[in-house]
């Protein structure tokens, strides 16, 4: 079996977080700039990039499963060039090389700007780059090709928090922020391509500080971006409770373009477990932050992350998690079973819980979260808002867009198009979406128009 010496097409498969979605898009930009064409299926691609996430359960096994399929010979006896990228590649580069000798390129999340060069190197043997270079990768990336209504914009990478369950500080490195001037220029270029909403990304996005030393925090960056004509909406994720400062809360009141939505992971409702996780906040401090935020912006929608079955978690600890879900009434939440990540402190903690206990608790947590999501969606019925249309719906004439509260809204508007920002009334609610109808202008408004 051989891989093509002069590849013409590529496919990028992304696992995990929104940061990986952004990284996958940028790797596509690199390959397109190098003359390759994107295809929808790995079966039709000369180069297949598997952009992995080490946070999710069984992340490494999913990688090896995909590699096993890709290594099978095609009808002509060839196989694609296989690239293992992302956080699993960073954490397990040597192991990937041992277990999967057919992998041609192994590249970490801070070195993927070298992907075209590494592909050329792989023609004579496996190419590996899992360094954490001093020169930021963003300085070497080509202009973005995106032509969508909404886009991600990475502003910060890495983590200094060292939660005991997490590999991010080891795979993404320390917290680093991009220069505000670069971010403003990239946002302006996105708007010129039709983007109307940007979501600012970071492992701890609210730890952002302008890397050129101007002292601009995330709230200052948001205010600067809000000055861009044509940029209608700003969001950010993922935040850490420790960095949810007063100036950022104030921005939710003072910047109309900043959407009333906040993803603020708590991970557990038990202060005892939070201490074992090294989260640097307690149940009480987290709830106090949310109270301050809701006092400033009563209509804000909240989402969070939860881990069940952390080592030593008792039934009482888990009940604390259920109670915080019910108290906060999250609009949405991402819930996971704890899984061991080699090299993290939690991996060697005593009192590891059985999979059966974790499965049972996860099911109960998901049920509680679903109840809260439906309750939140129902609370918005009767509201009038603007929806940014992003994709076609399932039925003819339907479009799906996002409300200010990040709900998926299904609406039928004759003549509307993807990218339009339309005014609607929310008329019905479901656990994962709302239904809306277009606002019909009054006779006076129609005459004025």
């Amino acid at each position: 079996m051989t891989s093509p010496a002069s590849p013409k097409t590529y496919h990028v498969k992304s696992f995990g977080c929104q940061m990986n979605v952004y990284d996958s898009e940028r790797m596509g930009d690199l390959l397109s700039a190098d003359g390759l064409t994107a295809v929808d299926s790995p079966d039709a691609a000369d180069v297949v990039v598997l952009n992995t996430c080490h946070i999710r359960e069984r992340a490494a096994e999913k990688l090896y499963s995909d590699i096993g399929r890709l290594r099978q010979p095609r009808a002509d006896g060839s196989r694609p060039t296989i690239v293992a990228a992302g956080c699993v590649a960073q954490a397990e580069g040597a192991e990937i090389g041992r277990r999967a000798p057919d992998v041609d390129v192994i590249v970490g999340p801070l070195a993927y700007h070298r992907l075209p060069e590494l592909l050329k190197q792989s023609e004579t043997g496996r190419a590996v780059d899992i360094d954490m270079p001093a020169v930021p990768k963003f300085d070497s990336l080509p202009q973005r090709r995106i032509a969508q209504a909404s886009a991600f914009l990475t502003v910060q990478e890495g983590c200094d928090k060292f939660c005991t369950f997490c590999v991010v500080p080891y795979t993404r490195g320390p917290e680093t922020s991009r220069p505000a001037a670069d971010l403003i220029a990239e946002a302006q270029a996105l708007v010129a391509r039709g983007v109307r909403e940007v979501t600012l990304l970071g492992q701890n996005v609210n730890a952002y500080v302008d890397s050129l030393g101007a002292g601009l925090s995330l709230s200052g960056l948001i205010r600067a971006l809000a000055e861009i004509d044509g940029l209608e909406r700003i969001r950010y994720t993922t935040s850490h409770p420790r960095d949810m400062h007063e100036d950022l809360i104030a921005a939710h009141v003072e910047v109309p373009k900043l959407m009333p939505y906040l993803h603020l992971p708590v991970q557990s409702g038990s202060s005892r477990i939070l201490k074992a996780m090294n989260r640097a906040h307690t149940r009480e401090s987290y709830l106090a932050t949310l109270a301050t935020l809701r006092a400033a912006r009563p209509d804000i929608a909240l989402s969070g992350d939860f881990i069940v079955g952390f080592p030593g978690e008792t039934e009482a600890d888990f009940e604390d998690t259920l109670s915080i879900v019910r108290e906060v009434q999250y609009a949405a939440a991402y819930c996971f079973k704890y899984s061991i990540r080699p090299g993290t402190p939690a991996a060697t903690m005593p009192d590891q819980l059985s999979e059966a206990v974790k499965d049972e608790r996860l099911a109960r947590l998901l049920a509680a979260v679903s109840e809260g999501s439906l309750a939140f969606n129902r609370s918005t019925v009767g509201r009038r808002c603007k929806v940014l249309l992003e994709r076609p719906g399932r039925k003819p004439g339907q479009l799906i867009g996002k409300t200010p509260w990040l709900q998926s809204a299904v609406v039928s508007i004759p003549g509307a198009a993807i990218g339009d920002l339309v005014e609607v009334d929310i008329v019905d609610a479901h656990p994962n979406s709302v239904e809306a109808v277009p606002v019909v202008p009054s006779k006076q408004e129609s005459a004025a128009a």
Side-chain angles (χ1 to χ4, degrees), residues 197-210:
E197 174 185 276
V198 294
T199 298
L200 311 181
L201 295 182
Q203 264 80 36
N204 292 292
V205 68
N206 55 344
Y208 175 84
V209 178
D210 184 359

Side-chain angles (χ1 to χ4, degrees), residues 7 125 154 265 311 357 373 426:
T154 293
V357 169
S373 297
I426 298 175

Side-chain angles (χ1 to χ4, degrees), residues 247-261:
D247 62 326
L248 186 53
I249 293 174
H252 277 279
V253 181
E254 299 166 0
V255 182
K257 291 183 179 181
L258 180 58
M259 294 295 96
Y261 181 93

